[in-house]
Amino acid sequence: MALSSSKKNLGIQLLRMICCLLVIVTHFYGFYHLRIIQNKHEYYLGSFFYISYYYAYETFTSKNITKIMERFKRIIIPYVFWPIVFYINDKFSHYIFNKKESYYMKNLCYQIITGSEIYGIFWFLFNLLFLSLFFVIIIKLFQKHYVIVLFLINNLVYSIYYSNYANIP
């Protein structure tokens, strides 16, 4: 069932608000200062991703390429622009205030490729970009059965994540 723009699901909107608040609070206070949400971040962070892609469903499944490209532009522009601005600011402050540490151009390139070399906060945009591209490719390749393929991939990733084979903290 697709979500129309005139009909919003209040429960999902409320869950999105709670997950967003928990993400902001844990980034602000840190995971280990709040006993209530300690070791629970993978649940609301995963839920936040699912909700993001729930609302992107119509964009991904539409045949409108310009709509899909607009979504990628909205993600790519801050993903590339802000690290460059921060890098220039770092170089400028390095020369003005004689800081001992400074980042190099290769650090900026790694930042843009991986999303977390210098400024780790951009890992979310990297994951959003990567998963959006991945979903668009899967949806275009398996036009009639993409839900089954995505469901199987999701179950495979979760089984690897929660098994003893993955060394993910």
Side-chain angles (χ1 to χ4, degrees):
M1 179 176 173
L3 179 72
S4 67
S5 60
S6 63
K7 224 177 177 183
K8 297 280 183 178
N9 187 328
L10 185 61
I12 291 178
Q13 291 289 351
L14 184 64
L15 181 62
R16 181 171 76 161
M17 182 190 70
I18 291 169
C19 290
C20 185
L21 176 70
L22 288 173
V23 167
I24 291 169
V25 166
T26 55
H27 278 88
F28 186 72
Y29 287 111
F31 291 112
Y32 300 105
H33 290 91
L34 299 172
R35 286 255 182 235
I36 297 170
I37 52 178
Q38 184 179 2
N39 297 327
K40 305 287 186 241
H41 63 278
E42 66 260 9
Y43 298 115
Y44 61 81
L45 194 57
S47 300
F48 190 70
F49 266 101
Y50 279 118
I51 293 169
S52 297
Y53 288 107
Y54 173 78
Y55 285 114
Y57 173 79
E58 287 183 17
T59 303
F60 290 152
T61 57
S62 72
K63 305 282 187 204
N64 191 350
I65 299 297
T66 58
K67 198 173 178 183
I68 295 170
M69 293 307 290
E70 284 176 11
R71 176 176 170 81
F72 281 111
K73 277 188 215 172
R74 284 193 312 264
I75 299 171
I76 287 175
I77 289 172
Y79 179 73
V80 173
F81 175 75
W82 284 113
I84 291 172
V85 168
F86 294 150
Y87 178 78
I88 292 169
N89 181 36
D90 177 65
K91 288 298 180 189
F92 182 70
S93 65
H94 175 72
Y95 291 115
I96 298 289
F97 302 115
N98 293 325
K99 284 180 16 180
K100 295 187 183 206
E101 294 181 17
S102 182
Y103 298 112
Y104 298 105
M105 184 58 79
K106 72 174 186 173
N107 297 111
L108 179 64
C109 293
Y110 289 148
Q111 172 68 41
I112 292 173
I113 292 170
T114 64
S116 63
E117 173 72 20
I118 303 171
Y119 312 106
I121 197 70
F122 289 104
W123 71 269
F124 179 77
L125 287 177
F126 173 77
N127 286 336
L128 203 61
L129 252 172
F130 176 76
L131 288 175
S132 296
L133 183 62
F134 178 73
F135 286 164
V136 166
I137 290 170
I138 293 294
I139 289 169
K140 296 303 177 193
L141 283 177
F142 304 98
Q143 292 180 356
K144 294 183 181 180
H145 305 290
Y146 65 88
V147 174
I148 295 169
V149 172
L150 289 174
F151 178 75
L152 291 173
I153 292 170
N154 180 46
N155 287 341
L156 176 69
V157 168
Y158 265 114
S159 63
I160 290 171
Y161 181 76
Y162 287 110
S163 71
N164 292 331
Y165 297 115
N167 291 332
I168 302 171

